[in-house]
Amino acid sequence: MTTNAPICITARVRFGDCDPAGIVFTPRYGGFVFEAAETWLEAVMGLSVHQQLNKGEIGTPVRSLTTDLHRSLRPGDRFASTVYVEAIGRTSFRLLVIGRREDGVLSFVGRMTCVTTDPSHRSAMPLSEMYQQRLTQYQADCGDIPAIA
């Protein structure tokens, strides 16, 4: 699978993402991370989350999702979520998602750990050779992860 690494997803904050004061609801930042990871998964692995579930061969449920908020977003703000592979384990991988406002200011940093599972047994399984290869290649294509300040 050929990608332009790192993958960067642009989005705009919608009115429904915010409270009446016009500040993004804190849980939406986790949603932004998940949405970027879902786009990344399809681009790098060639399967959407829905296709994974329908094929029933492998799943990548989220074991952990964290977000660190740096600068808030407001309705109408455009932002970019850049996805990196931060770690590759035996049965899991961790994505790093760096969210920056259109003006380049750091807004949020998310980390999402996905575990490869056998859906029929709902148990962790080693990363397939294809997953290992694509994760490693993407990581190499991205080069060094930028420092987060």
Side-chain angles (χ1 to χ4, degrees):
M1 180 103 338
T2 303
T3 62
N4 293 322
I7 290 175
C8 186
I9 297 92
T10 57
R12 184 171 58 89
V13 175
R14 305 284 182 188
F15 177 78
D17 294 326
C18 303
D19 65 16
I23 298 171
V24 173
F25 290 115
T26 302
R28 279 301 294 137
Y29 289 97
F32 297 152
V33 171
F34 189 89
E35 290 160 11
E38 186 174 3
T39 299
W40 172 88
L41 183 72
E42 191 166 346
V44 174
M45 297 301 168
L47 289 172
S48 69
V49 172
H50 300 293
Q51 288 170 321
Q52 279 187 343
L53 294 172
N54 289 336
K55 286 182 87 172
E57 295 172 6
I58 192 170
T60 54
V62 176
R63 184 186 75 195
S64 169
L65 174 64
T66 63
T67 52
D68 292 319
L69 307 180
H70 293 263
R71 294 286 174 109
S72 62
L73 295 169
R74 300 204 175 263
D77 280 352
R78 294 195 178 281
F79 65 96
S81 299
T82 306
V83 183
Y84 298 90
V85 173
E86 190 172 46
I88 304 169
R90 190 180 72 75
T91 62
S92 65
F93 57 93
R94 185 174 59 243
L95 300 177
L96 171 69
V97 179
I98 300 173
R100 293 189 181 279
R101 296 187 321 208
E102 191 173 41
D103 62 4
V105 171
L106 180 64
S107 178
F108 61 91
V109 175
R111 286 181 169 84
M112 189 167 107
T113 301
C114 297
V115 179
T116 52
T117 61
D118 176 346
S120 62
H121 297 100
R122 293 187 179 181
S123 59
M125 60 186 266
L127 291 167
S128 70
E129 186 176 322
M130 183 270 291
Y131 266 71
Q132 283 281 355
Q133 288 174 347
R134 291 186 183 178
L135 288 164
T136 302
Q137 186 62 56
Y138 183 81
Q139 199 174 42
D141 290 348
C142 286
D144 293 335
I145 294 173
I148 303 167

